[in-house]
Amino acid sequence: MGEMFRSQEIPGKGYGVIAVREIQEGELLLSEPPLIQVPWWVRHSMYPQVEKKEFLERAVKHLDKKKREEFWSLHDSKVPDGAEKTIVGIWRTNNFALGVSGPKANNGLFLKMSRFNHSCSPSAEFHWNQRKGRQEIRSVRNISKGEEITISYFTNQVAVLNQRGRKEYLQSHYGFPCDCSACSLQGAEREKNDWERAEISRLEVRTDEKTWIEDS
């Protein structure tokens, strides 16, 4: 398959992922096992915050030196500028659901995947391959050489929010103001994009209602 992307610093964004060749829609860009995996029941224990902190501290302690250094190199959006990173902060900033997000979804942290930045109009998407135990990233459109490759950090419920709602979510959860192509739209183009996202939400509700009626 050959090298398809590289991780590098991007002005104003920290690290990001850049295509090193032309990439076609549907190509597999990454297949990565989790560095750390937290089972769903940890979030539902009697003392979930304490349990999660202790679980993560043990997991990081048992990493080899190189992997532990790579873990600490990841961004922590949960601490003020200049403050020391924390294991829990790095985890909260960089973990992904393994499969469909929900109460019984396990979560994992991935070193390479964590370098992909967010876009509300991403050029790639990720999927948990349960059989292989790997998170896979595939392109959803053609990507030019030298272009940043992005994924969406959102669940579907957040992705259908209007521009203001998405920006507020990203600022509060990840600590950055989104300036992707969708969040840079203005005037009539922004209104059209907001309407299209709201329409997707309405259609999803109607589909869910129809499925519920048919299954009743």
Side-chain angles (χ1 to χ4, degrees):
M1 183 167 61
E3 186 180 8
M4 305 176 73
F5 62 83
R6 66 173 179 269
S7 174
Q8 67 178 56
E9 287 197 54
I10 298 176
K13 288 188 174 184
Y15 276 87
V17 172
I18 303 296
V20 299
R21 67 165 174 81
E22 300 291 323
I23 296 173
Q24 301 301 308
E25 179 182 346
E27 285 197 63
L28 178 65
L29 309 180
L30 179 67
S31 178
E32 182 181 17
L35 177 72
I36 297 172
Q37 182 172 332
V38 176
W40 67 270
W41 52 262
V42 171
R43 301 196 307 273
H44 300 283
S45 65
M46 185 173 295
Y47 303 103
Q49 299 306 318
V50 173
E51 185 84 25
K52 182 173 69 174
K53 183 174 183 291
E54 292 177 348
F55 187 99
L56 290 169
E57 287 174 345
R58 288 194 300 271
V60 172
K61 180 180 179 180
H62 286 100
L63 295 174
D64 63 45
K65 183 174 183 293
K66 183 175 184 297
K67 288 289 192 295
R68 192 160 54 247
E69 289 175 350
E70 289 182 285
F71 172 86
W72 282 107
S73 75
L74 297 176
H75 182 55
D76 181 354
S77 68
K78 306 303 178 182
V79 295
D81 290 340
E84 289 189 7
K85 299 178 183 179
T86 68
I87 289 175
V88 172
I90 291 174
W91 167 262
R92 290 177 61 199
T93 304
N94 296 282
N95 81 87
F96 291 87
L98 306 183
V100 179
S101 182
K104 291 191 175 183
N106 298 332
N107 289 68
L109 181 144
F110 305 81
L111 289 174
K112 292 182 179 178
M113 184 178 176
S114 293
R115 296 304 188 187
F116 285 76
N117 285 322
H118 167 84
S119 172
C120 299
S121 296
S123 56
E125 66 180 11
F126 60 90
H127 167 76
W128 174 245
N129 188 319
Q130 181 66 36
R131 182 176 63 83
K132 294 182 178 180
R134 288 172 171 264
Q135 197 84 283
E136 297 179 343
I137 298 181
R138 289 183 182 273
S139 54
V140 295
R141 61 169 175 78
N142 294 342
I143 302 171
S144 301
K145 180 180 179 180
E147 180 182 349
E148 183 180 11
I149 306 172
T150 55
I151 60 176
S152 174
Y153 296 169
F154 292 149
T155 61
N156 289 339
Q157 290 87 345
V158 180
V160 296
L161 295 177
N162 61 23
Q163 186 185 97
R164 179 178 178 179
R166 299 193 312 275
K167 280 177 169 285
E168 290 176 349
Y169 180 91
L170 285 165
Q171 186 67 57
S172 63
H173 285 72
Y174 294 96
F176 67 86
C178 189
D179 62 353
C180 72
S181 58
C183 285
S184 299
L185 296 175
Q186 298 181 358
E189 288 185 328
R190 182 192 66 204
E191 292 176 2
K192 180 175 182 291
N193 188 264
D194 286 348
W195 181 87
E196 289 172 344
R197 290 173 187 270
E199 185 64 13
I200 290 172
S201 179
R202 287 190 288 269
L203 290 172
E204 287 179 342
V205 169
R206 292 171 191 168
T207 301
D208 289 344
E209 290 175 346
K210 186 174 186 294
T211 302
W212 184 83
I213 291 171
E214 290 178 347
D215 289 346
S216 297

